[in-house]
Amino acid sequence: MKRLIPLSLAILLLLSGCWDSRQLRDITIAKSAALDLLDDGIYQSTISSPVPRKYQAEERTLVVSGTGHTIREARMALDGKVSEQIDTAKLRILVLGEPLARKNIFPPLDIMYRDPRSSLGAKIAVFDGVGSNLIHMKLTDKPRTSEFVAELLETAESNTIVDDINVQLICPIMMDPGEDMILPYIGVDEEDNPRLIGNALFNGDTMTGSLSVEDSTLLLLMKGKLGSATFLTEKVHQEEEEDDKDNYITLRIRDTAASTEVTVNHASDEVTANVKLTMKVEAIEYPHNELTEKENIAKLNTSLEEQFTAEAGEIFKTLQESNCDALGIGRRVLVHHPDFWDTHKWNELYPEITIEPEIKVEIVDHGIIN
Amino acid sequence: MNVKMKISHPQLFFFIVQTQIGVGILSLSFSVHEEAGWDGWMSVFLGGIGIQLIILLLYALSSRYPEHILFHAMELIAGRLTGRLITTAYTIYFITVAILVLVIYKNIILTWLFPATPGWVIQLLLIISAWYLSREKLHIIVRFYVFVSALFLLVVGVLLFALGDLNPLYIFPIGHHGIGPILKGVMAAMQAMLGFSVFMFIFPYIEYKKKRDVLKTATFANLFTTAFYGITVLITMMFFSPPELKLVPQPLLYMLKTFSTPVIDRLDLIFLAMWIVSVTTSLMTYVYLASLSGAHLLKGVKRKKLTLWTSGAIFFIAMGPTNNLTISKFAEGVDYFSIVMVIVIPLLLYLLSLIRGKPSSKGGQQHETTHSS
């Protein structure tokens, strides 16, 4: 008897099954999903799921959409369209249609944050148009849109065009009153193929504008981000017009140091932000071929600095017009001048503040020729 | 009593630390943030200082009667009847804390890991393992605690994942909330650190050259726990912006959910599954203490047998509360109970023992009390 009890207990534990098992044959795995807001204020959820097919190398995908007043209702409508239960735990890409992004994105994302099984590590992007269109696209070189978009974004991350973010990492920024997020912005080119067209600017959880690819890189550099393969191309010679191609230089950004300092003038209620960026660059393409002399390099540095500073000024203008505090200037005001923060509404103040760029460029290398 | 049955100082260290660190770490930054906002991390460190003061008091009390377990010393100090009443209160207290730990962890496992598994199964598995070890003698229990302390490295390891995504600006301006809320946060922090008091109940089972060494070990254990909790809270607070932290009751898990590695897709689930061990050690300590104090009350009943009864009671009572609001009310009640049992009663006993003067210890009783380990 004394031995029987522990033995039977052990058998009970070891031989019983699981309540929480999820068999692959019972679920449809959603690899990419799109959320849209239709004209009549109804959410549409679209998912794409790989369909394994026996003895055939070519992969198929299943794309279905469902609509509802909440995302969950839309998901339920989806469930009615596929034979198995839809599982989003392996979601890789979440696409937000622009009409939805322009409204507010937190309510539809709520279910992602609340569900313990959801995939918070999914990449998130805004699509210029109805998001389901991106999911429906048939691509020639990739079997699945989820893979294509994920790789597109990963490359863009290493090129410092978009920030390395996912569904969870944007959340602290989205909720922080002192900083606004920017999300990858995907559009279509002439041949109806998806391509990255920059970043969508947000104010809180509402999309308010967009930034081009070139400007995105400079903005991210000023935020202190740097991918492994970051390039910038600038026009450095204006005067010679016979061959325009000679006028450009392409730089590879080796190393950067970025800082943002904020001063508050309490008497006049003026906020000035000083955004500093020092870049160590390598000239990787420069047909002009005059990098032998020190003066030329110094001249080039200065000329690049002027260009970048002017460009940064334009970026800040765009940001302020969209009321998107991507640099987190408000957070710095809150940190260093809490009294000022408490008595002012940052959202109203931000478009009026002065942001001064200060960019230093140092060409440290120029490949194996001069 | 065999010297080998006594526990060494490193073992004492891990006994205290494993009792303290458990389910609390998962939600600590949320609960201090609720009170003190982004200054909550200071509350944790201040809580460590507060606990040090209490440790001094508990040491002063228990070291006055180094040969007796505290429940016996109480009878010497306050008289037989009062002493027994206080011991009964302690037994109830230990059982209550064990119930709370069980209920909270069951709930976390249900929401995060196994939504379809019945709660009582999870409870049963946890309480069986707690019962199985706590029926052994103390030196066997602590050996297990030392062994599983390697799991603390796991926490350090998973925290490293977050380092790249921290924003230090989220914890500034320092001291913005003022001293009142920070002190309220201290209360919340100390709740997660409960368990530092265990050394006073097992004082005669500790092997020491000088009595002061026990204080030293308790202090080191407190330092370790405070630093461990403090760093965890700092990192989670820099990961979540203040408005988001308000929405996330288990910040550590939530943070881990964000990251995936090539091998492990969901770090939070793996962490939660492994962390069960650290939570169970807290549970074991309380089952052990409950049976220890119970065995002192019921002369002639073997402590080993009592663990089964206490475990059973804990299991059945813990099935009651399932509503989140009920549980947080219950937790609040346990907080106040803790203040009484860990601060007020030891203080009164200490003062009383000072007034009465030190009684001479009797060898016969010493033998009787230490035997029950």
Side-chain angles (χ1 to χ4, degrees):
Chain A
M1 189 63 196
K2 242 191 170 172
R3 279 194 196 157
L4 210 64
I5 292 172
L7 194 71
S8 52
L9 267 176
I11 289 173
L12 215 93
L13 292 182
L14 293 174
L15 296 187
S16 56
C18 298
W19 271 275
D20 285 276
S21 62
R22 291 173 77 86
Q23 308 284 344
L24 203 52
R25 59 164 190 262
D26 299 333
I27 51 173
T28 299
I29 295 175
K31 292 294 273 187
S32 51
L35 298 177
D36 287 299
L37 188 65
L38 303 181
D39 292 333
D40 40 5
I42 281 178
Y43 288 119
Q44 175 183 283
S45 174
T46 307
I47 61 129
S48 129
S49 164
V51 181
R53 217 174 184 191
K54 275 179 190 168
Y55 317 117
Q56 203 167 329
E58 197 188 333
E59 280 194 81
R60 287 193 310 144
T61 49
L62 166 85
V63 179
V64 276
S65 298
T67 54
H69 293 93
T70 63
I71 295 297
R72 178 53 87 181
E73 199 186 21
R75 178 91 61 83
M76 295 306 286
L78 268 178
D79 264 331
K81 288 189 186 175
V82 293
S83 52
E84 298 123 348
Q85 208 186 353
I86 292 167
D87 186 291
T88 54
K90 295 278 171 199
L91 195 69
R92 205 159 167 214
I93 296 295
L94 182 66
V95 180
L96 303 171
E98 191 171 330
L100 177 90
R102 292 252 177 215
K103 194 99 183 291
N104 36 23
I105 66 167
F106 187 71
L109 286 182
D110 180 74
I111 187 169
M112 291 283 288
Y113 294 122
R114 200 176 293 274
D115 183 1
R117 299 186 37 80
S118 71
S119 161
L120 286 181
K123 300 259 172 227
I124 185 167
V126 177
F127 182 68
D128 178 18
V130 180
S132 63
N133 290 352
L134 179 62
I135 306 292
H136 276 289
M137 261 173 211
K138 291 270 179 284
L139 301 164
T140 45
D141 59 334
K142 288 274 178 218
R144 292 197 288 270
T145 2
S146 61
E147 227 163 274
F148 176 81
V149 177
E151 278 166 27
L152 185 79
L153 293 177
E154 270 158 30
T155 316
E157 277 161 20
S158 63
N159 294 345
T160 328
I161 298 168
V162 301
D163 204 354
D164 179 7
I165 47 155
N166 57 35
V167 173
Q168 168 53 30
L169 290 177
I170 62 167
C171 193
I173 305 172
M174 180 159 54
M175 296 199 151
D176 189 0
E179 190 175 347
D180 289 315
M181 59 182 175
I182 55 174
L183 295 185
Y185 193 32
I186 295 172
V188 285
D189 59 12
E190 297 77 30
E191 281 116 44
D192 272 350
N193 286 320
R195 86 190 165 94
L196 192 67
I197 53 173
N199 273 289
L201 304 177
F202 280 78
N203 174 27
D205 67 344
T206 309
M207 180 177 166
T208 46
S210 65
L211 205 61
S212 72
V213 169
E214 296 78 29
D215 290 346
S216 297
T217 305
L218 195 56
L219 175 66
L220 285 170
L221 289 174
M222 287 190 285
K223 273 170 74 82
K225 316 275 177 183
L226 178 65
S228 55
T230 308
F231 303 97
L232 280 172
T233 301
E234 265 322 293
K235 194 175 184 184
V236 279
H237 299 280
Q238 256 80 9
E239 61 276 12
E240 304 150 43
E241 284 187 14
E242 64 263 26
D243 193 357
D244 191 49
K245 285 197 180 60
D246 277 3
N247 292 338
Y248 287 89
I249 182 167
T250 295
L251 307 166
R252 183 198 173 106
I253 318 295
R254 280 265 194 91
D255 195 15
T256 60
S259 70
T260 303
E261 272 159 32
V262 174
T263 44
V264 173
N265 186 335
H266 287 275
S268 60
D269 273 6
E270 272 169 24
V271 180
T272 313
N274 198 344
V275 181
K276 285 183 189 155
L277 173 65
T278 310
M279 292 192 274
K280 289 200 167 116
V281 301
E282 176 187 353
I284 59 159
E285 200 171 336
Y286 185 50
H288 228 76
N289 291 339
E290 53 181 23
L291 295 171
T292 31
E293 284 167 45
K294 264 192 181 166
E295 301 92 78
N296 278 337
I297 294 179
K299 224 164 77 187
L300 208 51
N301 283 344
T302 330
S303 148
L304 283 168
E305 278 164 15
E306 280 167 10
Q307 294 268 345
F308 284 135
T309 308
E311 219 174 280
E314 287 299 311
I315 294 172
F316 297 151
K317 226 174 99 188
T318 317
L319 287 177
Q320 283 181 302
E321 275 164 10
S322 317
N323 203 352
C324 170
D325 186 3
L327 289 159
I329 296 168
R331 178 68 13 211
R332 287 176 172 81
V333 173
L334 166 59
V335 166
H336 299 295
H337 310 278
D339 300 331
F340 182 82
W341 173 270
D342 287 342
T343 50
H344 292 77
K345 281 209 169 113
W346 180 248
N347 214 14
E348 290 164 17
L349 201 66
Y350 174 70
E352 310 297 324
I353 66 166
T354 321
I355 310 177
E356 286 166 353
E358 192 183 321
I359 297 182
K360 293 232 170 345
V361 181
E362 206 181 309
I363 299 180
V364 291
D365 201 357
H366 39 72
I368 51 173
I369 61 164
N370 277 321
Chain B
M1 179 161 174
N2 194 338
V3 182
K4 272 192 183 158
M5 308 277 254
K6 293 203 172 194
I7 65 172
S8 67
H9 280 279
Q11 286 178 326
L12 175 65
F13 174 85
F14 286 112
F15 188 63
I16 300 174
V17 165
Q18 281 287 7
T19 307
Q20 279 188 289
I21 296 178
V23 72
I25 196 169
L26 301 177
S27 50
L28 181 60
S29 13
F30 172 78
S31 42
V32 291
H33 185 270
E34 237 183 353
E35 303 290 349
W38 58 81
D39 290 322
W41 61 276
M42 288 201 275
S43 304
V44 177
F45 288 108
L46 287 175
I49 296 172
I51 283 173
Q52 191 53 41
L53 295 177
I54 304 174
I55 286 178
L56 287 176
L57 165 73
L58 301 184
Y59 169 76
L61 171 66
S62 52
S63 66
R64 278 177 76 84
Y65 304 90
E67 296 91 16
H68 301 283
I69 63 167
L70 193 71
F71 310 116
H72 188 81
M74 283 169 193
E75 289 177 21
L76 297 180
I77 298 168
R80 200 173 146 76
L81 185 67
T82 330
R84 289 190 147 246
L85 280 177
I86 297 172
T87 307
T88 315
Y90 270 108
T91 312
I92 296 171
Y93 170 65
F94 296 139
I95 291 178
T96 317
V97 176
I99 292 168
L100 183 67
V101 171
L102 195 58
V103 166
I104 290 179
Y105 208 60
K106 173 195 71 179
N107 250 31
I108 290 178
I109 290 178
L110 277 183
T111 38
W112 282 84
L113 211 51
F114 301 127
T117 307
W120 64 267
V121 175
I122 295 167
Q123 275 189 14
L124 189 66
L125 292 176
L126 286 171
I127 200 76
I128 284 179
S129 43
W131 162 75
Y132 186 65
L133 192 63
S134 58
R135 61 202 281 273
E136 298 299 331
K137 291 191 187 336
L138 182 65
H139 66 279
I140 294 173
I141 299 178
V142 289
R143 265 184 226 157
F144 177 72
Y145 283 18
V146 175
F147 177 66
V148 298
S149 290
L151 281 177
F152 293 146
L153 292 176
L154 182 79
V155 183
V156 178
V158 294
L159 285 178
L160 292 179
F161 276 93
L163 287 186
D165 294 296
L166 299 185
N167 186 348
L169 293 179
Y170 288 154
I171 59 161
F172 288 93
I174 290 173
H176 187 70
H177 295 84
I179 194 77
I182 293 178
L183 287 180
K184 268 191 184 165
V186 169
M187 285 300 299
M190 281 166 72
Q191 180 209 331
M193 293 167 160
L194 278 179
F196 54 85
S197 58
V198 286
F199 75 93
M200 76 167 168
F201 302 112
I202 55 163
F203 208 93
Y205 307 144
I206 305 165
E207 193 190 349
Y208 52 82
K209 287 202 183 78
K210 280 179 292 176
K211 275 194 287 184
R212 262 189 181 278
D213 290 345
V214 177
L215 178 64
K216 230 191 242 166
T217 309
T219 306
F220 279 133
N222 180 35
L223 258 177
F224 178 83
T225 309
T226 309
F228 194 75
Y229 275 9
I231 289 167
T232 312
V233 167
L234 265 177
I235 286 183
T236 42
M237 283 200 165
M238 286 190 236
F239 183 81
F240 297 102
S241 63
E244 193 190 358
L245 200 50
K246 270 186 207 152
L247 302 179
V248 185
Q250 283 98 31
L252 184 61
L253 286 176
Y254 209 85
M255 186 172 85
L256 297 180
K257 193 170 183 294
T258 316
F259 306 106
S260 71
T261 64
V263 184
I264 299 166
D265 199 41
R266 288 279 303 274
L267 278 175
D268 55 324
L269 300 187
I270 295 288
F271 177 80
L272 198 58
M274 301 228 232
W275 200 242
I276 288 176
V277 178
S278 264
V279 176
T280 316
T281 52
S282 309
L283 198 60
M284 284 167 187
T285 304
Y286 286 108
V287 174
Y288 170 78
L289 288 176
S291 64
L292 187 68
S293 56
H296 184 79
L297 283 175
L298 309 165
K299 288 271 150 66
V301 181
K302 283 234 166 78
R303 193 189 69 76
K304 228 175 183 177
K305 237 181 202 166
L306 263 183
T307 50
L308 186 63
W309 291 106
T310 41
S311 303
I314 290 164
F315 170 72
F316 282 110
I317 302 174
M319 290 216 277
T322 49
N323 186 325
N324 274 336
L325 289 174
T326 324
I327 293 167
S328 58
K329 265 222 174 113
F330 179 39
E332 216 172 284
V334 174
D335 280 355
Y336 291 117
F337 200 5
S338 301
I339 294 172
V340 175
M341 301 314 286
V342 176
I343 305 175
V344 179
I345 289 185
L347 186 65
L348 291 178
L349 283 174
Y350 181 59
L351 293 177
L352 199 60
S353 78
L354 281 186
I355 295 165
R356 293 218 166 164
K358 198 170 178 176
S360 60
S361 55
K362 290 160 210 158
Q365 273 158 334
Q366 175 205 347
H367 193 83
E368 178 194 35
T369 46
T370 48
H371 197 71
S372 57
S373 80

